[in-house]
Amino acid sequence: MAFGQQRTHGRRGRPPKDPSARAAAQRASLPLEEPSSSSMHALSPSAAGMAPLTSGHAPKVRRPNETDAQSSVEEFETLLQDMRMRYEKSIDERVQQAIQERDAIQAQFDRLKDLRMTQSEKTLVEWKKASETRHRHVLESLASWKNRAEHAEHRVKELERTTPKGSEAEPRATQLEQDVSTLTEQLARVQRALGDEQARRADLEEQMHAYTANEDERAIRRMYEDLTGFMVRQVDLPHPEEAHRRYHIVFTGADFYDFQFSLEESKLHVSSSDGGQVVRDDFVYMPHINHARDAHLLASGHMPDHFLEQIRFERGAATKFLMALHRSLKK
């Protein structure tokens, strides 16, 4: 290539195969054009719809008048009042909801309190109220009669001082003496009635406490019967001198055969590990077999033969023994 000759792309003056390089070569080969008057006119402020500004002057902005300001204040006050009303309404609704929840909780508490009090406790409370009323009335009557008796006795003493010795007592003094005697007798009767009332009250309270304790014991007994199926129907002392109890027990339950037996307390002297003698607490199991009543149980073959005979076992193994008996009664 000669000096000063422009280099062309490609071989032998041919355009390059790459499209991007070809476009760049074409742009480089185009002559530069000066901006036309039409384009300059399009960029001028007058063509864009803008009026030319004189030097030193800013565009005029319209000021809000007093009417617009007043309406804005009124709108703001209206909005503020509306927000206040909604807030107060929300507070009232929350207060009403809290009151309803409190009433519901109080009603539930009252129902639970009523369920907590048994019939015996209710009877005791009612009787206490009536007894306190009678007791208060008796005390008031006692105080009144005591005052009357003291007043009559004081009058009698005054008459005795004012009446000359050897003269006959006036009818008024005689009447006062009779009143004193009558009031004294009434006072003694009231005191006896008060003592009897206090004794009856103490006796009734003791009975009510004993009845409540018996109710608790019966409830505990029913719970154990429901849990185990073994119900103790009777307890007696076959040998009062030994103080060994015999428990008559009935077993009943769903999907089980009914069965009756007894457990009698007993003591047995056994040898200890050191060669001595110790007393061991035992139970003696005695089945109550009735061939007519227990025919299905005996025919089932589930009951082992050793449960049909008397068995002695250690009292500490009673749970294990009853569990084995329970399994043998399964249908």
Side-chain angles (χ1 to χ4, degrees), residues 121-271:
E121 291 176 342
K122 292 180 180 179
T123 305
L124 180 60
V125 170
E126 293 176 357
W127 186 89
K128 278 186 176 180
K129 291 181 180 179
S131 178
E132 289 174 357
T133 302
R134 290 195 301 269
H135 183 69
R136 185 169 56 253
H137 178 69
V138 169
L139 289 179
E140 292 175 356
S141 300
L142 182 62
S144 175
W145 290 337
K146 186 176 181 180
N147 292 334
R148 290 173 60 185
E150 291 177 353
H151 180 69
E153 187 176 0
H154 181 68
R155 291 291 304 276
V156 169
K157 290 181 179 179
E158 287 183 352
L159 289 174
E160 289 178 353
R161 286 196 304 268
T162 57
T163 302
K165 294 183 179 180
S167 61
E168 296 182 358
E170 297 180 357
R172 180 62 178 169
T174 305
Q175 183 65 32
L176 287 175
E177 290 180 356
Q178 293 177 357
D179 292 343
V180 169
S181 177
T182 303
L183 291 174
T184 304
E185 293 177 358
Q186 291 179 355
L187 182 61
R189 285 198 301 269
V190 170
Q191 288 178 346
R192 287 194 299 269
L194 182 60
D196 295 341
E197 182 70 19
Q198 291 176 349
R200 285 196 300 270
R201 180 175 180 177
D203 187 23
L204 183 58
E205 288 182 352
E206 184 178 356
Q207 292 178 6
M208 295 300 294
H209 288 307
Y211 181 75
T212 304
N214 292 334
E215 278 190 345
D216 295 339
E217 292 178 359
R218 284 193 292 268
I220 294 173
R221 179 177 175 179
R222 286 196 301 270
M223 183 191 69
Y224 277 108
E225 290 176 353
D226 294 338
L227 291 176
T228 62
F230 294 98
M231 293 173 284
V232 179
R233 292 303 185 188
Q234 183 181 353
V235 180
D236 54 21
L237 292 173
H239 308 289
E241 65 279 0
E242 297 179 358
H244 291 164
R245 295 179 180 85
R246 179 182 295 172
Y247 302 90
H248 298 270
I249 303 174
V250 176
F251 174 80
T252 181
D255 300 330
F256 288 89
Y257 291 103
D258 296 341
F259 188 64
Q260 298 183 16
F261 62 96
S262 297
L263 290 179
E264 183 177 340
E265 296 175 337
S266 179
K267 294 184 181 296
L268 182 66
H269 295 273
V270 296
S271 300

Side-chain angles (χ1 to χ4, degrees), residues 12 19 22 41 52 58 79 84-85 88 105 108 123 128 136 140 146 202 214 219 229 261 266 289 292 296 319 323-324:
R12 299 179 183 179
R22 187 184 303 171
H41 177 72
L79 180 61
R84 184 184 296 110
M85 292 177 61
E88 292 177 354
I105 293 173
Q108 185 178 6
T123 305
K128 278 186 176 180
R136 185 169 56 253
E140 292 175 356
K146 186 176 181 180
N214 292 334
F261 62 96
S266 179
I289 301 297
H296 295 288
T319 303
M323 289 178 63

Side-chain angles (χ1 to χ4, degrees), residues 77 87 109 120 163-164 196 216 226 233 253 262 266 283 285 289 293 315 326:
E77 290 180 351
Y87 178 74
F109 176 76
S120 59
T163 302
D196 295 341
D216 295 339
D226 294 338
R233 292 303 185 188
S262 297
S266 179
F283 271 133
Y285 163 79
I289 301 297
R293 182 189 61 212
R315 185 168 186 145
H326 183 270

Side-chain angles (χ1 to χ4, degrees), residues 31-50:
L32 296 175
E33 296 181 356
E34 295 183 358
S36 61
S37 60
S38 60
S39 61
M40 294 297 292
H41 177 72
L43 296 175
S44 63
S46 59
M50 298 175 59

